[in-house]
Amino acid sequence: MGKKAKMIVALGVFFAVIGTLIYTSIGTAATFYLTVDELKDKQEVAVGKRIKVSGNIVGESIQFDSSKILLTFELEGSNGFRVPIEYDGVKPDTLNDGWEAIVEGELNSEGVFIASDLLVKCPSKYEAMEEKGEEIPKDHPATQKQGGKETNG
């Protein structure tokens, strides 16, 4: 085999390895984003896969066990479907009834979403209205008190 043929084979192997590395890293890094309503329709295929889910916090479902540092609550979609969330971490101060939250993690086979990350979206538009002295709509979650209860074991 000549020098030119060896170089072509070496480059082919090099690009095949690089291509394989890129393909596998993209596949494992992909996280799908769903609403609670979309999760209801795709529940069977979502089990065990890394996904992000957004929905509104159900205030009366919030429970925080400070001895285990375990937060449980439900997210609700626009059609009323709810998904239970378990988050192993500190309870955010902004965890309020009706506020939008985004969780990242995996749905288990029992239909419980095990979250590794939790983000509560703050209704900053209404905070700016309040600062200007404008009235916030009475039915908006920003005007309601924080829901849920805290337990110690």
Side-chain angles (χ1 to χ4, degrees), residues 9-75:
V9 170
L11 284 173
V13 169
F14 174 77
F15 286 117
V17 168
I18 295 298
T20 302
L21 289 173
I22 290 171
Y23 178 77
T24 57
S25 66
I26 289 173
T28 58
T31 302
F32 296 101
Y33 182 87
L34 303 169
T35 64
V36 171
D37 297 329
E38 291 169 334
L39 180 62
K40 178 184 179 189
D41 297 334
K42 299 176 181 179
Q43 204 163 359
E44 294 83 29
V45 294
V47 171
K49 293 192 173 104
R50 186 109 182 125
I51 56 174
K52 287 185 181 181
V53 177
S54 70
N56 294 327
I57 299 163
V58 179
E60 72 262 7
S61 70
I62 300 170
Q63 292 189 0
F64 181 68
D65 186 340
S66 59
S67 67
K68 297 178 184 176
I69 310 176
L70 179 66
L71 175 65
T72 59
F73 62 98
E74 293 179 337
L75 287 181

Side-chain angles (χ1 to χ4, degrees), residues 94-150:
T94 55
L95 198 73
N96 293 310
D97 184 38
W99 287 20
E100 185 179 359
I102 300 172
V103 291
E104 183 175 348
E106 293 183 8
L107 186 69
N108 69 18
S109 58
E110 288 84 41
V112 177
F113 192 89
I114 309 301
S116 57
D117 294 307
L118 168 63
L119 171 70
V120 179
K121 294 180 106 181
C122 185
S124 56
K125 170 184 169 184
Y126 295 101
E127 288 173 357
M129 288 176 68
E130 194 173 48
E131 287 175 11
K132 291 179 184 177
E134 298 175 12
E135 189 173 332
I136 299 172
K138 298 285 186 225
D139 63 337
H140 192 274
T143 62
Q144 299 172 11
K145 294 190 184 264
Q146 185 171 342
K149 62 183 175 182
E150 193 165 318

